[in-house]
């Protein structure tokens, strides 16, 4: 199946909606994600972001692993097998970075922040285990696309630490578009795909909001 790349942002199909969501929401568009990815950002903010990202995404099974177990079609199942392998490698990379940077910086209100991330982790698990057909897959696909922006931050942290890393070349947006269109077998499934993606991106955006608030609290 071939999909014109221009149609992904200009059309009204499932892939077009998904492309617009992942471009405008989540980590990609969050200003703090860009700020903390700069080599000029304070080291303590980088350390903090690494630790909280690890709290949210560093455990197995994660959202994509849950979604993989619930896939109902050969197409989505094969893609989720690949996505689960990708995210497993990313968990290892994140763990290496966290081990290298040392402990969390002292931050006012940390207990509340930790509770918020724990709640977010639970929300991600629930998305991955959703019984609504298409919801878990939409969330999983959105997480992998959103990880491109997360990975930009991780790589900037690795450069600071002198840690070698491989380029993140595991995402093929055209392939994801094909799988999204194939998975959206009905209007109901298409809505569920979009809902799962929206919820995942909202969680990612909220995590960067929390990190930004913690950075402000440390300088207050």
């Amino acid at each position: 199946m071939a999909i014109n790349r221009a149609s992904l942002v200009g059309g009204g199909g499932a892939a077009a909606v998904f492309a617009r969501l992942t471009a405008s929401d989540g980590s990609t568009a969050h200003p703090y994600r860009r700020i903390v990815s700069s080599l000029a950002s304070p080291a303590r903010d980088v350390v903090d972001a690494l630790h909280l990202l690890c709290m949210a995404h560093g455990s197995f099974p994660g959202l994509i692993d849950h979604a993989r177990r619930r896939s109902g079609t050969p197409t989505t199942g094969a893609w989720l097998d690949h996505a689960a392998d990708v995210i497993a490698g990313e968990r290892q990379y994140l763990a290496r970075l966290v081990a290298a940077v040392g402990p969390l910086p002292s931050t006012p209100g940390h207990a509340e922040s930790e509770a918020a991330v724990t709640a977010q982790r639970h929300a991600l698990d629930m998305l991955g285990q959703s019984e609504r057909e298409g919801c878990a897959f939409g969330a999983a696909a959105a997480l992998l696309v959103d990880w491109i922006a997360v990975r930009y931050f991780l790589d900037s942290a690795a450069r600071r630490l002198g840690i070698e890393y491989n380029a993140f070349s595991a995402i093929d947006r055209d392939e994801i578009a094909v799988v999204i269109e194939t998975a959206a077998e009905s209007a109901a499934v298409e809505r569920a795909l979009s809902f799962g993606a929206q919820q995942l991106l909202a969680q990612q955006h909220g995590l960067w909001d929390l990190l930004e608030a913690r950075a402000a609290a440390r300088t207050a």
Side-chain angles (χ1 to χ4, degrees), residues 127-214:
L127 273 175
Q129 298 175 70
S130 173
E131 297 286 350
R132 183 180 176 187
E133 186 180 356
C135 182
F137 179 74
L143 175 57
L144 203 60
V145 172
D146 191 73
W147 202 261
I148 297 170
V150 175
R151 183 54 129 79
Y152 186 87
F153 161 69
L154 298 183
D155 291 348
S156 73
R159 287 193 293 274
R160 281 176 174 249
L161 296 165
I163 292 176
E164 293 185 3
Y165 60 91
N166 295 321
F168 190 53
S169 57
I171 304 301
D172 185 326
R173 292 178 182 270
D174 288 336
E175 180 185 4
I176 291 175
V178 171
V179 177
I180 290 288
E181 289 289 349
T182 304
E185 299 174 338
S186 67
V189 174
E190 183 174 339
R191 288 193 296 271
L193 284 165
S194 294
F195 176 80
Q198 287 173 327
Q199 293 301 305
L200 179 281
L201 295 167
Q203 293 294 331
Q204 292 292 90
H205 196 277
L207 180 58
W208 293 109
D209 280 346
L210 177 61
L211 289 166
E212 185 174 27
R214 285 170 60 85

Side-chain angles (χ1 to χ4, degrees), residues 14 20 32 35 70 89 91 98 100 108 118-119 153 155 163 178 183 206 214 218:
R20 288 195 291 268
Y32 185 71
I35 290 169
R70 293 184 175 274
R91 277 195 296 263
V98 169
T118 299
F153 161 69
D155 291 348
I163 292 176
V178 171
R214 285 170 60 85
R218 286 190 293 271

